[in-house]
Amino acid sequence: MAMGVTLLIWASFFISLRASSQSALTIGDIALLRFLPAALVFGWLALPKAKKIKQTPKRYLLAIALGAGLPFLLLAANGLRLAPVADGASLIPGILPLFVTSIAAICYRERISSMRKAGIMLIFFGICLFLATSLLSGSSQIATGHALLLMASFSWAWFTIAMRVSGLTPIEGGAVLSLSACTCLPVLYLLGLVDFNLLNAPSSEIAFHFIIQGIAAGLIANFTFGYAISRLGAEMSAALGSFTPVLAALIAVPMFAESLNMNTVLAMMLIVLGAISASEIITTKKVAIKVG
């Protein structure tokens, strides 16, 4: 149930980022709407656990802060300004199981089952089909967008692994990533890397992105995804996240008049099938038959 809620919010998250490219809001505005409410709520709730958070290995805290915090949002937002919603929703959560499983196998020596290996291969072929389509089309803009989206997915993979091994609760992890993002935003502004236009944007756009980014993605999804990781594990949670592109693409077709060509549909099918296999939702069990 937690992952079901997360999938619906993630699909809305990609729609919101794509819509921001056609609005008066800047990426800095989106980041502020995304992380400030979470920082206030999670920061207050996690205050009694401040000592526990400080004692957490710094490499885990850094992976959480960078993996799902401001760097992730900047990569995803800029990537979706260059590539269609279906591509972004497929590449970020779609390739996530590949990155998560690779990190778990290489860094933590986890064994990978045959079914999970088959799923990872299907996801890999799906991603290759996406990249081949953008390269053959000759669109450097889409190719650049795909590269940014892959970097965002790799960033999110480190967050997924770090949340599992750190021992932090979803609320504590949410406090780490949101507070770090709010701390970095002024620094990036002073460096001229982000700007703000919140005061000049229409109130309807602010309300829309505040609900999707600040409340849904920033608060609810951070908790539900963290909860799912604690119950299902990082690999299965990441694999189930690969169903996001189907929802996002269906919404994007009428909302942004985006078309789904055959290559995109085939790539999405490979990724979803790979996710089902990699999550090991369908497993074969040996049944003992008693005779006599």
PDB file of all heavy atoms in Angstrom, residues 207-242:
ATOM      1  N   ALA A 207       0.200  27.169  -5.916  1.00  0.00           N
ATOM      2  CA  ALA A 207      -0.627  26.210  -5.176  1.00  0.00           C
ATOM      3  C   ALA A 207      -0.490  24.804  -5.755  1.00  0.00           C
ATOM      4  O   ALA A 207      -0.362  23.821  -5.009  1.00  0.00           O
ATOM      5  CB  ALA A 207      -2.087  26.655  -5.220  1.00  0.00           C
ATOM      6  N   PHE A 208      -0.487  24.693  -7.106  1.00  0.00           N
ATOM      7  CA  PHE A 208      -0.370  23.387  -7.760  1.00  0.00           C
ATOM      8  C   PHE A 208       0.939  22.698  -7.399  1.00  0.00           C
ATOM      9  O   PHE A 208       0.954  21.537  -6.966  1.00  0.00           O
ATOM     10  CB  PHE A 208      -0.476  23.562  -9.282  1.00  0.00           C
ATOM     11  CG  PHE A 208      -0.147  22.329 -10.074  1.00  0.00           C
ATOM     12  CD1 PHE A 208      -1.032  21.269 -10.136  1.00  0.00           C
ATOM     13  CD2 PHE A 208       1.063  22.216 -10.759  1.00  0.00           C
ATOM     14  CE1 PHE A 208      -0.734  20.116 -10.858  1.00  0.00           C
ATOM     15  CE2 PHE A 208       1.376  21.083 -11.479  1.00  0.00           C
ATOM     16  CZ  PHE A 208       0.476  20.027 -11.535  1.00  0.00           C
ATOM     17  N   HIS A 209       2.047  23.415  -7.548  1.00  0.00           N
ATOM     18  CA  HIS A 209       3.354  22.811  -7.272  1.00  0.00           C
ATOM     19  C   HIS A 209       3.590  22.616  -5.778  1.00  0.00           C
ATOM     20  O   HIS A 209       4.306  21.691  -5.379  1.00  0.00           O
ATOM     21  CB  HIS A 209       4.459  23.672  -7.886  1.00  0.00           C
ATOM     22  CG  HIS A 209       4.481  23.649  -9.380  1.00  0.00           C
ATOM     23  ND1 HIS A 209       4.927  22.569 -10.098  1.00  0.00           N
ATOM     24  CD2 HIS A 209       4.093  24.573 -10.299  1.00  0.00           C
ATOM     25  CE1 HIS A 209       4.819  22.821 -11.386  1.00  0.00           C
ATOM     26  NE2 HIS A 209       4.316  24.022 -11.536  1.00  0.00           N
ATOM     27  N   PHE A 210       2.994  23.462  -4.951  1.00  0.00           N
ATOM     28  CA  PHE A 210       3.124  23.287  -3.501  1.00  0.00           C
ATOM     29  C   PHE A 210       2.459  21.983  -3.062  1.00  0.00           C
ATOM     30  O   PHE A 210       3.012  21.232  -2.258  1.00  0.00           O
ATOM     31  CB  PHE A 210       2.494  24.469  -2.763  1.00  0.00           C
ATOM     32  CG  PHE A 210       2.466  24.289  -1.263  1.00  0.00           C
ATOM     33  CD1 PHE A 210       3.621  24.437  -0.509  1.00  0.00           C
ATOM     34  CD2 PHE A 210       1.278  23.964  -0.613  1.00  0.00           C
ATOM     35  CE1 PHE A 210       3.595  24.256   0.869  1.00  0.00           C
ATOM     36  CE2 PHE A 210       1.246  23.795   0.760  1.00  0.00           C
ATOM     37  CZ  PHE A 210       2.411  23.940   1.501  1.00  0.00           C
ATOM     38  N   ILE A 211       1.268  21.697  -3.620  1.00  0.00           N
ATOM     39  CA  ILE A 211       0.561  20.471  -3.257  1.00  0.00           C
ATOM     40  C   ILE A 211       1.321  19.241  -3.756  1.00  0.00           C
ATOM     41  O   ILE A 211       1.519  18.272  -3.008  1.00  0.00           O
ATOM     42  CB  ILE A 211      -0.870  20.494  -3.828  1.00  0.00           C
ATOM     43  CG1 ILE A 211      -1.703  21.575  -3.131  1.00  0.00           C
ATOM     44  CG2 ILE A 211      -1.536  19.123  -3.662  1.00  0.00           C
ATOM     45  CD1 ILE A 211      -3.061  21.801  -3.754  1.00  0.00           C
ATOM     46  N   ILE A 212       1.761  19.287  -5.036  1.00  0.00           N
ATOM     47  CA  ILE A 212       2.443  18.124  -5.610  1.00  0.00           C
ATOM     48  C   ILE A 212       3.845  17.952  -5.038  1.00  0.00           C
ATOM     49  O   ILE A 212       4.222  16.857  -4.599  1.00  0.00           O
ATOM     50  CB  ILE A 212       2.527  18.248  -7.150  1.00  0.00           C
ATOM     51  CG1 ILE A 212       1.122  18.295  -7.764  1.00  0.00           C
ATOM     52  CG2 ILE A 212       3.334  17.084  -7.734  1.00  0.00           C
ATOM     53  CD1 ILE A 212       0.298  17.045  -7.525  1.00  0.00           C
ATOM     54  N   GLN A 213       4.641  19.033  -5.049  1.00  0.00           N
ATOM     55  CA  GLN A 213       6.034  18.935  -4.622  1.00  0.00           C
ATOM     56  C   GLN A 213       6.182  18.984  -3.102  1.00  0.00           C
ATOM     57  O   GLN A 213       6.855  18.140  -2.508  1.00  0.00           O
ATOM     58  CB  GLN A 213       6.849  20.078  -5.254  1.00  0.00           C
ATOM     59  CG  GLN A 213       6.975  20.010  -6.762  1.00  0.00           C
ATOM     60  CD  GLN A 213       7.903  18.906  -7.226  1.00  0.00           C
ATOM     61  OE1 GLN A 213       8.669  18.363  -6.443  1.00  0.00           O
ATOM     62  NE2 GLN A 213       7.832  18.562  -8.499  1.00  0.00           N
ATOM     63  N   GLY A 214       5.572  19.999  -2.479  1.00  0.00           N
ATOM     64  CA  GLY A 214       5.772  20.195  -1.052  1.00  0.00           C
ATOM     65  C   GLY A 214       5.066  19.183  -0.181  1.00  0.00           C
ATOM     66  O   GLY A 214       5.676  18.599   0.724  1.00  0.00           O
ATOM     67  N   ILE A 215       3.776  18.956  -0.440  1.00  0.00           N
ATOM     68  CA  ILE A 215       2.991  18.073   0.411  1.00  0.00           C
ATOM     69  C   ILE A 215       3.123  16.612  -0.022  1.00  0.00           C
ATOM     70  O   ILE A 215       3.507  15.743   0.777  1.00  0.00           O
ATOM     71  CB  ILE A 215       1.503  18.484   0.404  1.00  0.00           C
ATOM     72  CG1 ILE A 215       1.351  19.949   0.842  1.00  0.00           C
ATOM     73  CG2 ILE A 215       0.702  17.560   1.317  1.00  0.00           C
ATOM     74  CD1 ILE A 215       1.874  20.236   2.233  1.00  0.00           C
ATOM     75  N   ALA A 216       2.803  16.339  -1.305  1.00  0.00           N
ATOM     76  CA  ALA A 216       2.786  14.945  -1.775  1.00  0.00           C
ATOM     77  C   ALA A 216       4.196  14.353  -1.865  1.00  0.00           C
ATOM     78  O   ALA A 216       4.510  13.364  -1.203  1.00  0.00           O
ATOM     79  CB  ALA A 216       2.078  14.860  -3.121  1.00  0.00           C
ATOM     80  N   ALA A 217       5.057  14.964  -2.717  1.00  0.00           N
ATOM     81  CA  ALA A 217       6.404  14.409  -2.926  1.00  0.00           C
ATOM     82  C   ALA A 217       7.320  14.670  -1.738  1.00  0.00           C
ATOM     83  O   ALA A 217       8.086  13.797  -1.326  1.00  0.00           O
ATOM     84  CB  ALA A 217       7.008  14.998  -4.195  1.00  0.00           C
ATOM     85  N   GLY A 218       7.270  15.879  -1.188  1.00  0.00           N
ATOM     86  CA  GLY A 218       8.189  16.241  -0.115  1.00  0.00           C
ATOM     87  C   GLY A 218       7.886  15.593   1.214  1.00  0.00           C
ATOM     88  O   GLY A 218       8.803  15.210   1.950  1.00  0.00           O
ATOM     89  N   LEU A 219       6.594  15.436   1.537  1.00  0.00           N
ATOM     90  CA  LEU A 219       6.220  14.886   2.840  1.00  0.00           C
ATOM     91  C   LEU A 219       5.747  13.435   2.745  1.00  0.00           C
ATOM     92  O   LEU A 219       6.343  12.539   3.333  1.00  0.00           O
ATOM     93  CB  LEU A 219       5.113  15.750   3.470  1.00  0.00           C
ATOM     94  CG  LEU A 219       5.538  17.132   3.984  1.00  0.00           C
ATOM     95  CD1 LEU A 219       4.317  17.912   4.433  1.00  0.00           C
ATOM     96  CD2 LEU A 219       6.521  16.992   5.125  1.00  0.00           C
ATOM     97  N   ILE A 220       4.665  13.232   1.985  1.00  0.00           N
ATOM     98  CA  ILE A 220       4.029  11.912   1.998  1.00  0.00           C
ATOM     99  C   ILE A 220       4.913  10.848   1.346  1.00  0.00           C
ATOM    100  O   ILE A 220       5.145   9.779   1.918  1.00  0.00           O
ATOM    101  CB  ILE A 220       2.662  11.978   1.300  1.00  0.00           C
ATOM    102  CG1 ILE A 220       1.755  12.978   2.026  1.00  0.00           C
ATOM    103  CG2 ILE A 220       2.008  10.592   1.275  1.00  0.00           C
ATOM    104  CD1 ILE A 220       0.421  13.211   1.335  1.00  0.00           C
ATOM    105  N   ALA A 221       5.436  11.140   0.133  1.00  0.00           N
ATOM    106  CA  ALA A 221       6.222  10.127  -0.582  1.00  0.00           C
ATOM    107  C   ALA A 221       7.534   9.803   0.121  1.00  0.00           C
ATOM    108  O   ALA A 221       7.984   8.663   0.095  1.00  0.00           O
ATOM    109  CB  ALA A 221       6.494  10.585  -2.010  1.00  0.00           C
ATOM    110  N   ASN A 222       8.161  10.794   0.743  1.00  0.00           N
ATOM    111  CA  ASN A 222       9.389  10.513   1.491  1.00  0.00           C
ATOM    112  C   ASN A 222       9.121   9.502   2.595  1.00  0.00           C
ATOM    113  O   ASN A 222       9.935   8.608   2.864  1.00  0.00           O
ATOM    114  CB  ASN A 222       9.946  11.805   2.098  1.00  0.00           C
ATOM    115  CG  ASN A 222      10.800  12.574   1.119  1.00  0.00           C
ATOM    116  OD1 ASN A 222      11.326  12.024   0.155  1.00  0.00           O
ATOM    117  ND2 ASN A 222      10.927  13.871   1.341  1.00  0.00           N
ATOM    118  N   PHE A 223       7.957   9.649   3.248  1.00  0.00           N
ATOM    119  CA  PHE A 223       7.622   8.726   4.328  1.00  0.00           C
ATOM    120  C   PHE A 223       7.219   7.364   3.792  1.00  0.00           C
ATOM    121  O   PHE A 223       7.703   6.330   4.263  1.00  0.00           O
ATOM    122  CB  PHE A 223       6.496   9.307   5.186  1.00  0.00           C
ATOM    123  CG  PHE A 223       6.067   8.385   6.296  1.00  0.00           C
ATOM    124  CD1 PHE A 223       6.780   8.326   7.480  1.00  0.00           C
ATOM    125  CD2 PHE A 223       4.963   7.562   6.138  1.00  0.00           C
ATOM    126  CE1 PHE A 223       6.400   7.463   8.502  1.00  0.00           C
ATOM    127  CE2 PHE A 223       4.571   6.692   7.147  1.00  0.00           C
ATOM    128  CZ  PHE A 223       5.288   6.651   8.337  1.00  0.00           C
ATOM    129  N   THR A 224       6.325   7.342   2.772  1.00  0.00           N
ATOM    130  CA  THR A 224       5.824   6.060   2.275  1.00  0.00           C
ATOM    131  C   THR A 224       6.923   5.234   1.604  1.00  0.00           C
ATOM    132  O   THR A 224       6.970   4.010   1.764  1.00  0.00           O
ATOM    133  CB  THR A 224       4.670   6.270   1.277  1.00  0.00           C
ATOM    134  OG1 THR A 224       5.091   7.157   0.232  1.00  0.00           O
ATOM    135  CG2 THR A 224       3.456   6.862   1.972  1.00  0.00           C
ATOM    136  N   PHE A 225       7.836   5.899   0.868  1.00  0.00           N
ATOM    137  CA  PHE A 225       8.924   5.148   0.231  1.00  0.00           C
ATOM    138  C   PHE A 225       9.896   4.626   1.281  1.00  0.00           C
ATOM    139  O   PHE A 225      10.359   3.490   1.198  1.00  0.00           O
ATOM    140  CB  PHE A 225       9.652   6.033  -0.780  1.00  0.00           C
ATOM    141  CG  PHE A 225      10.684   5.287  -1.594  1.00  0.00           C
ATOM    142  CD1 PHE A 225      10.334   4.186  -2.348  1.00  0.00           C
ATOM    143  CD2 PHE A 225      12.010   5.698  -1.614  1.00  0.00           C
ATOM    144  CE1 PHE A 225      11.284   3.495  -3.098  1.00  0.00           C
ATOM    145  CE2 PHE A 225      12.960   5.020  -2.359  1.00  0.00           C
ATOM    146  CZ  PHE A 225      12.594   3.909  -3.100  1.00  0.00           C
ATOM    147  N   GLY A 226      10.184   5.450   2.282  1.00  0.00           N
ATOM    148  CA  GLY A 226      11.054   4.988   3.370  1.00  0.00           C
ATOM    149  C   GLY A 226      10.424   3.833   4.126  1.00  0.00           C
ATOM    150  O   GLY A 226      11.115   2.878   4.518  1.00  0.00           O
ATOM    151  N   TYR A 227       9.112   3.895   4.332  1.00  0.00           N
ATOM    152  CA  TYR A 227       8.403   2.810   5.008  1.00  0.00           C
ATOM    153  C   TYR A 227       8.458   1.536   4.171  1.00  0.00           C
ATOM    154  O   TYR A 227       8.668   0.432   4.701  1.00  0.00           O
ATOM    155  CB  TYR A 227       6.954   3.212   5.262  1.00  0.00           C
ATOM    156  CG  TYR A 227       6.148   2.181   6.014  1.00  0.00           C
ATOM    157  CD1 TYR A 227       6.144   2.153   7.404  1.00  0.00           C
ATOM    158  CD2 TYR A 227       5.388   1.226   5.328  1.00  0.00           C
ATOM    159  CE1 TYR A 227       5.408   1.196   8.094  1.00  0.00           C
ATOM    160  CE2 TYR A 227       4.653   0.280   6.009  1.00  0.00           C
ATOM    161  CZ  TYR A 227       4.658   0.267   7.397  1.00  0.00           C
ATOM    162  OH  TYR A 227       3.941  -0.673   8.072  1.00  0.00           O
ATOM    163  N   ALA A 228       8.256   1.689   2.853  1.00  0.00           N
ATOM    164  CA  ALA A 228       8.297   0.524   1.961  1.00  0.00           C
ATOM    165  C   ALA A 228       9.675  -0.128   1.975  1.00  0.00           C
ATOM    166  O   ALA A 228       9.788  -1.359   1.986  1.00  0.00           O
ATOM    167  CB  ALA A 228       7.921   0.942   0.543  1.00  0.00           C
ATOM    168  N   ILE A 229      10.739   0.681   1.991  1.00  0.00           N
ATOM    169  CA  ILE A 229      12.099   0.146   2.040  1.00  0.00           C
ATOM    170  C   ILE A 229      12.303  -0.675   3.309  1.00  0.00           C
ATOM    171  O   ILE A 229      12.897  -1.753   3.290  1.00  0.00           O
ATOM    172  CB  ILE A 229      13.142   1.276   1.968  1.00  0.00           C
ATOM    173  CG1 ILE A 229      13.116   1.937   0.585  1.00  0.00           C
ATOM    174  CG2 ILE A 229      14.550   0.746   2.256  1.00  0.00           C
ATOM    175  CD1 ILE A 229      13.994   3.169   0.490  1.00  0.00           C
ATOM    176  N   SER A 230      11.777  -0.172   4.438  1.00  0.00           N
ATOM    177  CA  SER A 230      11.962  -0.861   5.719  1.00  0.00           C
ATOM    178  C   SER A 230      11.205  -2.183   5.767  1.00  0.00           C
ATOM    179  O   SER A 230      11.579  -3.082   6.516  1.00  0.00           O
ATOM    180  CB  SER A 230      11.506   0.039   6.869  1.00  0.00           C
ATOM    181  OG  SER A 230      10.101   0.247   6.831  1.00  0.00           O
ATOM    182  N   ARG A 231      10.140  -2.328   4.965  1.00  0.00           N
ATOM    183  CA  ARG A 231       9.341  -3.548   4.977  1.00  0.00           C
ATOM    184  C   ARG A 231       9.649  -4.491   3.811  1.00  0.00           C
ATOM    185  O   ARG A 231       9.584  -5.706   3.957  1.00  0.00           O
ATOM    186  CB  ARG A 231       7.844  -3.182   4.935  1.00  0.00           C
ATOM    187  CG  ARG A 231       7.345  -2.468   6.183  1.00  0.00           C
ATOM    188  CD  ARG A 231       7.420  -3.363   7.416  1.00  0.00           C
ATOM    189  NE  ARG A 231       6.851  -2.715   8.590  1.00  0.00           N
ATOM    190  CZ  ARG A 231       7.545  -1.972   9.445  1.00  0.00           C
ATOM    191  NH1 ARG A 231       8.835  -1.774   9.232  1.00  0.00           N
ATOM    192  NH2 ARG A 231       6.967  -1.438  10.500  1.00  0.00           N
ATOM    193  N   LEU A 232       9.950  -3.932   2.661  1.00  0.00           N
ATOM    194  CA  LEU A 232      10.157  -4.756   1.466  1.00  0.00           C
ATOM    195  C   LEU A 232      11.619  -4.913   1.084  1.00  0.00           C
ATOM    196  O   LEU A 232      11.957  -5.811   0.312  1.00  0.00           O
ATOM    197  CB  LEU A 232       9.403  -4.143   0.273  1.00  0.00           C
ATOM    198  CG  LEU A 232       7.894  -3.954   0.427  1.00  0.00           C
ATOM    199  CD1 LEU A 232       7.318  -3.257  -0.801  1.00  0.00           C
ATOM    200  CD2 LEU A 232       7.203  -5.288   0.640  1.00  0.00           C
ATOM    201  N   GLY A 233      12.484  -4.034   1.583  1.00  0.00           N
ATOM    202  CA  GLY A 233      13.878  -4.035   1.165  1.00  0.00           C
ATOM    203  C   GLY A 233      14.127  -3.039   0.059  1.00  0.00           C
ATOM    204  O   GLY A 233      13.192  -2.618  -0.632  1.00  0.00           O
ATOM    205  N   ALA A 234      15.375  -2.652  -0.107  1.00  0.00           N
ATOM    206  CA  ALA A 234      15.722  -1.627  -1.091  1.00  0.00           C
ATOM    207  C   ALA A 234      15.499  -2.103  -2.519  1.00  0.00           C
ATOM    208  O   ALA A 234      14.982  -1.367  -3.356  1.00  0.00           O
ATOM    209  CB  ALA A 234      17.186  -1.209  -0.902  1.00  0.00           C
ATOM    210  N   GLU A 235      15.896  -3.373  -2.805  1.00  0.00           N
ATOM    211  CA  GLU A 235      15.819  -3.857  -4.177  1.00  0.00           C
ATOM    212  C   GLU A 235      14.377  -3.972  -4.656  1.00  0.00           C
ATOM    213  O   GLU A 235      14.027  -3.540  -5.756  1.00  0.00           O
ATOM    214  CB  GLU A 235      16.529  -5.220  -4.307  1.00  0.00           C
ATOM    215  CG  GLU A 235      18.039  -5.149  -4.154  1.00  0.00           C
ATOM    216  CD  GLU A 235      18.479  -5.200  -2.697  1.00  0.00           C
ATOM    217  OE1 GLU A 235      17.594  -5.140  -1.815  1.00  0.00           O
ATOM    218  OE2 GLU A 235      19.679  -5.257  -2.441  1.00  0.00           O
ATOM    219  N   MET A 236      13.494  -4.564  -3.824  1.00  0.00           N
ATOM    220  CA  MET A 236      12.106  -4.723  -4.240  1.00  0.00           C
ATOM    221  C   MET A 236      11.389  -3.382  -4.342  1.00  0.00           C
ATOM    222  O   MET A 236      10.617  -3.147  -5.277  1.00  0.00           O
ATOM    223  CB  MET A 236      11.348  -5.643  -3.278  1.00  0.00           C
ATOM    224  CG  MET A 236       9.915  -5.916  -3.720  1.00  0.00           C
ATOM    225  SD  MET A 236       9.022  -7.071  -2.661  1.00  0.00           S
ATOM    226  CE  MET A 236       9.862  -8.597  -3.093  1.00  0.00           C
ATOM    227  N   SER A 237      11.665  -2.476  -3.418  1.00  0.00           N
ATOM    228  CA  SER A 237      11.041  -1.153  -3.466  1.00  0.00           C
ATOM    229  C   SER A 237      11.457  -0.410  -4.726  1.00  0.00           C
ATOM    230  O   SER A 237      10.634   0.235  -5.388  1.00  0.00           O
ATOM    231  CB  SER A 237      11.434  -0.337  -2.225  1.00  0.00           C
ATOM    232  OG  SER A 237      10.985  -0.963  -1.042  1.00  0.00           O
ATOM    233  N   ALA A 238      12.746  -0.507  -5.053  1.00  0.00           N
ATOM    234  CA  ALA A 238      13.245   0.149  -6.266  1.00  0.00           C
ATOM    235  C   ALA A 238      12.617  -0.464  -7.512  1.00  0.00           C
ATOM    236  O   ALA A 238      12.264   0.241  -8.464  1.00  0.00           O
ATOM    237  CB  ALA A 238      14.767   0.036  -6.337  1.00  0.00           C
ATOM    238  N   ALA A 239      12.464  -1.784  -7.513  1.00  0.00           N
ATOM    239  CA  ALA A 239      11.887  -2.458  -8.676  1.00  0.00           C
ATOM    240  C   ALA A 239      10.424  -2.075  -8.861  1.00  0.00           C
ATOM    241  O   ALA A 239       9.964  -1.828  -9.985  1.00  0.00           O
ATOM    242  CB  ALA A 239      12.026  -3.971  -8.527  1.00  0.00           C
ATOM    243  N   LEU A 240       9.668  -2.019  -7.785  1.00  0.00           N
ATOM    244  CA  LEU A 240       8.265  -1.631  -7.888  1.00  0.00           C
ATOM    245  C   LEU A 240       8.116  -0.198  -8.385  1.00  0.00           C
ATOM    246  O   LEU A 240       7.128   0.152  -9.024  1.00  0.00           O
ATOM    247  CB  LEU A 240       7.578  -1.787  -6.526  1.00  0.00           C
ATOM    248  CG  LEU A 240       7.378  -3.225  -6.047  1.00  0.00           C
ATOM    249  CD1 LEU A 240       6.857  -3.240  -4.621  1.00  0.00           C
ATOM    250  CD2 LEU A 240       6.424  -3.974  -6.963  1.00  0.00           C
ATOM    251  N   GLY A 241       9.122   0.631  -8.113  1.00  0.00           N
ATOM    252  CA  GLY A 241       9.093   2.014  -8.594  1.00  0.00           C
ATOM    253  C   GLY A 241       9.150   2.125 -10.100  1.00  0.00           C
ATOM    254  O   GLY A 241       8.816   3.172 -10.663  1.00  0.00           O
ATOM    255  N   SER A 242       9.524   1.051 -10.759  1.00  0.00           N
ATOM    256  CA  SER A 242       9.618   1.061 -12.220  1.00  0.00           C
ATOM    257  C   SER A 242       8.257   1.116 -12.901  1.00  0.00           C
ATOM    258  O   SER A 242       8.178   1.306 -14.113  1.00  0.00           O
ATOM    259  CB  SER A 242      10.365  -0.192 -12.713  1.00  0.00           C
ATOM    260  OG  SER A 242      11.679  -0.209 -12.209  1.00  0.00           O
TER     261      SER A 242
END
